[in-house]
Amino acid sequence: MKDDNPLKNWTVDRSQISFIGKDLQRPECILAERDGTLWSADARGGVVKIDTDGTQTVIAPKREIAAETATFENRFMNAQGSLPNGMTFDANGDFLIANFGTDTLDRMTRDGKLTTILDNIDGRPLGKCNFVTRDSKGRIWLTVTTQLNPWTDHVKRMSYDGYIAVIDDKGARIVADGLCGTNELRFDAKEEWLYVPETTAHRITRYRVHDDGRLTHREIYGPSDIGGFADGIAFDAYGNLWSALVHNDRLIAITPEGDVVTLLDDGNAEANAALDKAWRDWDMKTELMAAAHGTLCPWMASLTFGGPDLKTVYLGSLRGDRIPVFRSPVAGLPMIYWNETYAKADA
């Protein structure tokens, strides 16, 4: 690691971690506005708005959840019912939501009006929609983790049936497939490369991005095994690629030189060892996944840079009910805001 890297010899000071929100349900993805307003994906079928004074508002279309799907096993392991996962701002400030439970890409207004904008490509159901983002050209990019149902069969089989799709003026189409547990998508600062965790394969993959939406030159970024299940990712301004390792409950970063540094470890060592052995033996079980989690941010799933200087980090999770927050020594890359980038938005 280069001596001028802000992450050199730095780790998160647990005593400096604070929390935002309460009684959240599956806050997998966090969006941060410049004024400090947060939007958290929520298992009630929409988002929770958290104002700067701490006021919380659940914004979601009314969706009945059948009693038989309300258990932890069915809701959070088998992903039954509406489960907003990754999300981003649309061009007008509304939300694009990848729904892991309904296998759809949705658009929801800030007052809770929901529209499904994609449920198939060329007549084929999408599969487990994981994450959605936009680029500076206005194109929408979507990941699908697996096409198996229940999706946990993918984990047991290590299936390579995940893919990346793009939606532009030509419509929706798959631009990369054969991925093992496709998860979040992030572009580098110049949008020359697109990065995606192959969560179940313990690695991060990247593609060169072309003007017509094609993705080529697939390659592994960093180690072939990063030591856990990479879920959410985000670049900082120095070029470090941060990643939340779900189940392992560890926050890491891959430096521009390809080195992995651990920034925060909240995992259960014994449960992680059992899960890692099962992964290496191709013997994954849902009960091992359920047991592997920490206490600070259980099933740590994402990270978001926010605040006026983009140095405030918010952690999303699949089993937490609040959002851990801490300060970073380096700013994150600007996110795509509505009609302009986050960095150019008025304070």
Side-chain angles (χ1 to χ4, degrees):
M1 183 190 299
K2 291 184 178 179
D3 290 339
D4 61 342
N5 192 322
L7 299 187
K8 183 178 177 62
N9 301 321
W10 181 83
T11 56
V12 179
D13 183 346
R14 295 176 69 99
S15 70
Q16 298 300 308
I17 296 175
S18 58
F19 296 89
I20 292 177
K22 62 179 182 178
D23 301 324
L24 304 176
Q25 294 187 22
R26 200 179 183 272
E28 200 278 350
C29 184
I30 314 297
L31 298 181
E33 295 193 46
R34 194 176 180 86
D35 66 357
T37 303
L38 300 181
W39 303 86
S40 171
D42 193 83
R44 283 162 285 200
V47 301
V48 173
K49 179 185 180 184
I50 306 177
D51 291 306
T52 54
D53 64 359
T55 301
Q56 292 185 191
T57 306
V58 178
I59 303 172
K62 186 171 179 57
R63 282 170 156 165
E64 297 296 333
I65 299 174
E68 60 269 20
T69 68
T71 65
F72 173 82
E73 180 74 17
N74 286 333
R75 290 287 282 156
F76 297 99
M77 295 302 294
N78 295 327
Q80 296 180 8
S82 177
L83 287 174
N85 207 69
M87 59 184 191
T88 191
F89 290 118
D90 202 355
N92 63 358
D94 291 330
F95 305 98
L96 295 173
I97 300 173
N99 198 309
F100 200 77
T102 60
D103 300 356
T104 57
L105 175 61
D106 301 328
R107 178 181 285 112
M108 192 183 78
T109 64
R110 293 193 172 209
D111 58 0
K113 293 183 176 65
L114 186 77
T115 304
T116 294
I117 60 176
L118 191 68
D119 61 6
N120 74 89
I121 295 179
D122 296 332
R124 183 174 181 176
L126 294 179
K128 288 300 170 188
C129 295
N130 188 299
F131 191 74
V132 59
T133 192
R134 293 167 48 234
D135 63 19
S136 61
K137 295 180 174 65
R139 297 179 296 197
I140 298 172
W141 299 82
L142 173 72
T143 63
V144 169
T145 297
T146 179
Q147 297 169 70
L148 295 179
N149 191 13
W151 80 274
T152 47
D153 283 352
H154 152 72
V155 180
K156 298 173 183 176
R157 301 180 194 177
M158 292 274 286
S159 62
Y160 283 73
D161 62 336
Y163 63 85
I164 301 170
V166 67
I167 307 172
D168 57 15
D169 55 5
K170 299 177 184 177
R173 61 193 182 279
I174 295 173
V175 288
D177 57 12
L179 291 156
C180 187
T182 332
N183 217 298
E184 285 200 4
L185 292 174
R186 298 293 179 189
F187 294 92
D188 62 12
K190 296 181 179 180
E191 295 188 355
E192 294 176 338
W193 291 88
L194 181 62
Y195 295 73
V196 59
E198 292 187 77
T199 301
T200 323
H202 279 201
R203 67 186 179 216
I204 293 175
T205 294
R206 72 174 186 174
Y207 295 87
R208 183 168 290 281
V209 183
H210 296 269
D211 290 340
D212 60 2
R214 287 181 301 118
L215 298 180
T216 62
H217 295 81
R218 176 178 176 173
E219 64 184 30
I220 295 173
Y221 183 73
S224 58
D225 179 359
I226 61 172
F229 298 90
D231 194 321
I233 55 175
F235 274 105
D236 65 30
Y238 187 87
N240 300 300
L241 181 61
W242 296 40
S243 180
L245 306 187
V246 70
H247 301 299
N248 311 96
D249 283 0
R250 192 159 65 247
L251 182 66
I252 66 165
I254 301 176
T255 71
E257 298 78 38
D259 300 319
V260 174
V261 293
T262 297
L263 307 177
L264 175 66
D265 190 345
D266 186 50
N268 179 314
E270 183 177 351
N272 278 339
L275 188 63
D276 184 65
K277 182 179 186 303
W279 179 79
R280 295 184 184 283
D281 293 343
W282 288 66
D283 189 29
M284 292 284 288
K285 296 180 175 65
T286 54
E287 56 266 30
L288 293 176
M289 296 165 58
H293 63 85
T295 57
L296 180 72
C297 189
W299 285 7
M300 186 189 303
S302 69
L303 66 135
T304 299
F305 289 97
D309 59 1
L310 290 176
K311 288 186 176 181
T312 300
V313 179
Y314 306 93
L315 297 179
S317 65
L318 299 181
R319 295 181 69 171
D321 58 7
R322 55 183 181 168
I323 301 168
V325 183
F326 61 87
R327 294 284 290 170
S328 163
V330 59
L333 281 188
M335 63 180 287
I336 297 296
Y337 211 53
W338 57 89
N339 298 323
E340 57 187 356
T341 64
Y342 185 103
K344 295 179 181 178
D346 292 335

